[in-house]
Amino acid sequence: MRARVLGSAAGGGFPQWNCRCAQCQGVRAGTLAARPRTQASLAVSSDGDHWLLLGASPDVRSQIDDTPELAPRRDGSPIAGVALPNGDVDAWAGLLSLREWTPLRIFATPVVRADVAGDNGVLRTLERFPGHSQWIELAAGARVEAVGELSIEAVPLAGKPPLHRMGVRAADPLDNVGLVVRDERRGRSLAWFPSVAGPSPALEQALREVDVLFFDGTFCREDELAAAGRGSSGARAMGHWPVDGADGSAAFLATLPVRDKWLVHVNNTNPLLADDGPERAWLRGLGIDVAWDGLVWER
Ligand code: MLT
Ligand code: MN
Ligand code: ZN
């Protein structure tokens, strides 16, 4: 089983186009020890020939260009499917760049599908011919066959509707799911959990059994955005469990018997982005690190 991180940043990427915070300026100027990052997405394969994307980020086009395994072959693109963890723009807007007549299977819960494609005429661009795009339902706790030997199981997580649906409809238990992808032949599994608002028994049970996890690293601290002068929202209210603190996600992740633990969906304000900062050293001390674009995991 092989996975490659296509993007490791939160919505907006790093640096973010409209942000002059010390970190965005530092990475632009080359004075901060940090890598630029595109918006969160993971490519997974059981055979190296057929690939499943977890999330289709607005950066998918440049991500494909940067990934030789995803280059088109004589018989078409090796990308056979896309699974959506939620209906946030940074999780699905790349679908619009995946048009041009390649059949795609799109895996999503009913509420995410309705949000993304229900009354959205734009996504009919993926319905140009019979069988062009095929939506496959993700239900809580059920394994569905995906691509090659891979299956997907959706794990409902604490979360919220996408920002652009807030106040339009009520929250739904399947607004936000973690994706457990298994290589059924090799018995390997990975978790792609880029948005997690807080702990739950289902979360802990799912993560105990995987070989590698990619987890919500959006914010280091609950008040990080306010401290950076970017609004008053707290991390948890935005659907993201802060990493730091006695009740933070890192303390929880450190208790799990999983060998490889990576943070993804990291926001531009997060001090964990600095490779040489004290926050990063602390995280590594817990056996966790921040993923980067291009990171390959194989087992
Ligand atoms: C999030 O992760 O909270 C959302 O992507 C925010 C957004 O849509 O900008
Ligand atoms: Mn996001
Ligand atoms: Zn910034």
Side-chain angles (χ1 to χ4, degrees):
M1 187 181 200
R2 191 175 164 90
R4 178 160 161 152
V5 175
L6 301 182
S8 49
F14 180 57
Q16 183 174 302
W17 71 281
N18 59 352
C19 188
R20 275 185 66 89
C21 75
Q23 296 211 132
C24 287
Q25 284 298 79
V27 77
R28 277 187 198 104
T31 54
L32 181 75
R35 305 181 191 225
R37 287 173 162 86
T38 62
Q39 295 166 86
S41 176
L42 188 78
V44 193
S45 180
S46 57
D47 58 11
D49 289 330
H50 304 89
W51 290 81
L52 170 69
L53 303 193
L54 307 184
S57 105
D59 299 314
V60 70
R61 185 178 176 280
S62 68
Q63 293 170 343
I64 291 169
D65 278 347
D66 289 343
T67 307
E69 298 94 316
L70 300 184
R73 318 258 168 80
R74 280 182 214 285
D75 60 348
S77 169
I79 298 173
V82 180
L84 307 180
N86 55 55
D88 289 354
V89 168
D90 57 341
W92 66 264
L95 289 176
L96 293 171
S97 299
L98 297 179
R99 60 197 193 283
E100 314 301 345
W101 311 92
T102 284
L104 269 187
R105 274 174 291 158
I106 305 168
F107 301 84
T109 65
V111 68
V112 169
R113 177 182 178 179
D115 273 356
V116 170
D119 51 7
N120 177 358
V122 173
L123 267 188
R124 292 201 60 235
T125 192
L126 296 181
E127 296 169 23
R128 292 180 182 181
F129 56 87
H132 182 182
S133 59
Q134 182 194 355
W135 287 82
I136 296 161
E137 179 175 331
L138 295 178
R143 279 188 209 193
V144 297
E145 284 179 28
V147 169
E149 307 286 338
L150 301 179
S151 70
I152 306 174
E153 177 184 339
V155 179
L157 300 174
K160 58 170 192 44
L163 276 182
H164 59 283
R165 300 294 280 168
M166 297 289 278
V168 177
R169 63 164 177 79
D172 186 292
L174 294 180
D175 273 327
N176 180 46
V177 297
L179 300 171
V180 173
V181 179
R182 295 184 176 85
D183 182 327
E184 298 286 352
R185 197 160 60 85
R186 293 183 183 76
R188 299 290 186 210
S189 60
L190 67 77
W192 177 252
F193 286 40
S195 291
V196 184
S200 65
L203 169 74
E204 173 157 4
Q205 193 192 334
L207 292 185
R208 282 196 166 275
E209 291 168 13
V210 297
D211 295 301
V212 57
L213 59 84
F214 298 90
F215 197 85
D216 186 341
T218 311
F219 299 116
C220 192
R221 304 193 175 98
E222 172 67 20
D223 64 350
E224 186 174 309
L225 276 191
R230 296 190 70 85
S232 56
S233 299
R236 287 178 176 84
M238 293 184 67
H240 300 293
W241 187 4
V243 177
D244 192 19
D247 57 353
S249 63
F252 159 71
L253 293 174
T255 67
L256 297 174
V258 179
R259 197 171 77 175
D260 302 307
K261 304 172 185 174
W262 302 100
L263 298 186
V264 292
H265 193 278
V266 185
N267 199 55
N268 55 304
T269 51
N270 190 331
L272 287 165
L273 285 168
D275 292 334
D276 56 0
E279 290 87 354
R280 191 68 165 279
W282 160 78
L283 187 72
R284 287 181 175 139
L286 293 175
I288 309 165
D289 209 345
V290 178
W292 61 89
D293 297 15
L295 169 74
V296 172
W297 178 90
E298 190 161 16
R299 251 185 105 181

mmCIF file with all atom_site columns, all heavy atoms in Angstrom, residues 16 19-21 24 268-269, ligand 3:
data_model
loop_
_atom_site.group_PDB
_atom_site.id
_atom_site.type_symbol
_atom_site.label_atom_id
_atom_site.label_alt_id
_atom_site.label_comp_id
_atom_site.label_asym_id
_atom_site.label_entity_id
_atom_site.label_seq_id
_atom_site.pdbx_PDB_ins_code
_atom_site.Cartn_x
_atom_site.Cartn_y
_atom_site.Cartn_z
_atom_site.occupancy
_atom_site.B_iso_or_equiv
_atom_site.pdbx_formal_charge
_atom_site.auth_seq_id
_atom_site.auth_comp_id
_atom_site.auth_asym_id
_atom_site.auth_atom_id
_atom_site.pdbx_PDB_model_num
ATOM   1  N  N   . GLN A 1 16  ? -0.755 31.930 2.331  1.00 0.00 ? 16  GLN A N   1
ATOM   2  C  CA  . GLN A 1 16  ? -2.113 32.195 1.855  1.00 0.00 ? 16  GLN A CA  1
ATOM   3  C  C   . GLN A 1 16  ? -2.104 33.510 1.079  1.00 0.00 ? 16  GLN A C   1
ATOM   4  O  O   . GLN A 1 16  ? -1.483 34.482 1.514  1.00 0.00 ? 16  GLN A O   1
ATOM   5  C  CB  . GLN A 1 16  ? -3.050 32.258 3.072  1.00 0.00 ? 16  GLN A CB  1
ATOM   6  C  CG  . GLN A 1 16  ? -4.506 32.469 2.703  1.00 0.00 ? 16  GLN A CG  1
ATOM   7  C  CD  . GLN A 1 16  ? -5.411 32.383 3.924  1.00 0.00 ? 16  GLN A CD  1
ATOM   8  O  OE1 . GLN A 1 16  ? -5.439 31.373 4.610  1.00 0.00 ? 16  GLN A OE1 1
ATOM   9  N  NE2 . GLN A 1 16  ? -6.134 33.456 4.202  1.00 0.00 ? 16  GLN A NE2 1
ATOM   10 N  N   . CYS A 1 19  ? -2.618 36.913 3.002  1.00 0.00 ? 19  CYS A N   1
ATOM   11 C  CA  . CYS A 1 19  ? -2.163 36.991 4.392  1.00 0.00 ? 19  CYS A CA  1
ATOM   12 C  C   . CYS A 1 19  ? -0.724 37.516 4.479  1.00 0.00 ? 19  CYS A C   1
ATOM   13 O  O   . CYS A 1 19  ? 0.162  37.048 3.772  1.00 0.00 ? 19  CYS A O   1
ATOM   14 C  CB  . CYS A 1 19  ? -2.259 35.612 5.040  1.00 0.00 ? 19  CYS A CB  1
ATOM   15 S  SG  . CYS A 1 19  ? -1.950 35.673 6.816  1.00 0.00 ? 19  CYS A SG  1
ATOM   16 N  N   . ARG A 1 20  ? -0.528 38.459 5.383  1.00 0.00 ? 20  ARG A N   1
ATOM   17 C  CA  . ARG A 1 20  ? 0.795  39.012 5.639  1.00 0.00 ? 20  ARG A CA  1
ATOM   18 C  C   . ARG A 1 20  ? 1.272  38.681 7.048  1.00 0.00 ? 20  ARG A C   1
ATOM   19 O  O   . ARG A 1 20  ? 2.061  39.417 7.629  1.00 0.00 ? 20  ARG A O   1
ATOM   20 C  CB  . ARG A 1 20  ? 0.773  40.543 5.504  1.00 0.00 ? 20  ARG A CB  1
ATOM   21 C  CG  . ARG A 1 20  ? 0.957  41.062 4.094  1.00 0.00 ? 20  ARG A CG  1
ATOM   22 C  CD  . ARG A 1 20  ? 1.029  42.576 4.096  1.00 0.00 ? 20  ARG A CD  1
ATOM   23 N  NE  . ARG A 1 20  ? 2.217  43.068 4.776  1.00 0.00 ? 20  ARG A NE  1
ATOM   24 C  CZ  . ARG A 1 20  ? 3.392  43.280 4.172  1.00 0.00 ? 20  ARG A CZ  1
ATOM   25 N  NH1 . ARG A 1 20  ? 3.509  43.051 2.898  1.00 0.00 ? 20  ARG A NH1 1
ATOM   26 N  NH2 . ARG A 1 20  ? 4.415  43.731 4.854  1.00 0.00 ? 20  ARG A NH2 1
ATOM   27 N  N   . CYS A 1 21  ? 0.774  37.592 7.625  1.00 0.00 ? 21  CYS A N   1
ATOM   28 C  CA  . CYS A 1 21  ? 1.237  37.225 8.960  1.00 0.00 ? 21  CYS A CA  1
ATOM   29 C  C   . CYS A 1 21  ? 2.740  36.901 8.870  1.00 0.00 ? 21  CYS A C   1
ATOM   30 O  O   . CYS A 1 21  ? 3.286  36.711 7.787  1.00 0.00 ? 21  CYS A O   1
ATOM   31 C  CB  . CYS A 1 21  ? 0.444  36.048 9.536  1.00 0.00 ? 21  CYS A CB  1
ATOM   32 S  SG  . CYS A 1 21  ? 0.843  34.434 8.838  1.00 0.00 ? 21  CYS A SG  1
ATOM   33 N  N   . CYS A 1 24  ? 3.510  33.695 6.830  1.00 0.00 ? 24  CYS A N   1
ATOM   34 C  CA  . CYS A 1 24  ? 3.327  33.780 5.374  1.00 0.00 ? 24  CYS A CA  1
ATOM   35 C  C   . CYS A 1 24  ? 4.417  34.658 4.763  1.00 0.00 ? 24  CYS A C   1
ATOM   36 O  O   . CYS A 1 24  ? 4.992  34.316 3.723  1.00 0.00 ? 24  CYS A O   1
ATOM   37 C  CB  . CYS A 1 24  ? 1.940  34.320 5.038  1.00 0.00 ? 24  CYS A CB  1
ATOM   38 S  SG  . CYS A 1 24  ? 0.616  33.125 5.325  1.00 0.00 ? 24  CYS A SG  1
ATOM   39 N  N   . ASN A 1 268 ? -2.038 28.396 7.898  1.00 0.00 ? 268 ASN A N   1
ATOM   40 C  CA  . ASN A 1 268 ? -0.885 29.282 7.723  1.00 0.00 ? 268 ASN A CA  1
ATOM   41 C  C   . ASN A 1 268 ? -0.431 29.957 9.016  1.00 0.00 ? 268 ASN A C   1
ATOM   42 O  O   . ASN A 1 268 ? 0.719  30.339 9.146  1.00 0.00 ? 268 ASN A O   1
ATOM   43 C  CB  . ASN A 1 268 ? -1.195 30.345 6.644  1.00 0.00 ? 268 ASN A CB  1
ATOM   44 C  CG  . ASN A 1 268 ? -2.450 31.140 6.942  1.00 0.00 ? 268 ASN A CG  1
ATOM   45 O  OD1 . ASN A 1 268 ? -3.525 30.564 7.111  1.00 0.00 ? 268 ASN A OD1 1
ATOM   46 N  ND2 . ASN A 1 268 ? -2.340 32.436 7.013  1.00 0.00 ? 268 ASN A ND2 1
ATOM   47 N  N   . THR A 1 269 ? -1.336 30.088 9.980  1.00 0.00 ? 269 THR A N   1
ATOM   48 C  CA  . THR A 1 269 ? -0.996 30.733 11.257 1.00 0.00 ? 269 THR A CA  1
ATOM   49 C  C   . THR A 1 269 ? -0.324 29.783 12.248 1.00 0.00 ? 269 THR A C   1
ATOM   50 O  O   . THR A 1 269 ? 0.128  30.219 13.311 1.00 0.00 ? 269 THR A O   1
ATOM   51 C  CB  . THR A 1 269 ? -2.279 31.249 11.945 1.00 0.00 ? 269 THR A CB  1
ATOM   52 O  OG1 . THR A 1 269 ? -3.228 30.159 11.985 1.00 0.00 ? 269 THR A OG1 1
ATOM   53 C  CG2 . THR A 1 269 ? -2.881 32.418 11.180 1.00 0.00 ? 269 THR A CG2 1
HETATM 54 ZN ZN  . ZN  B 2 .   ? -0.501 33.968 7.086  1.00 0.00 ? 3   ZN  B ZN  1
#
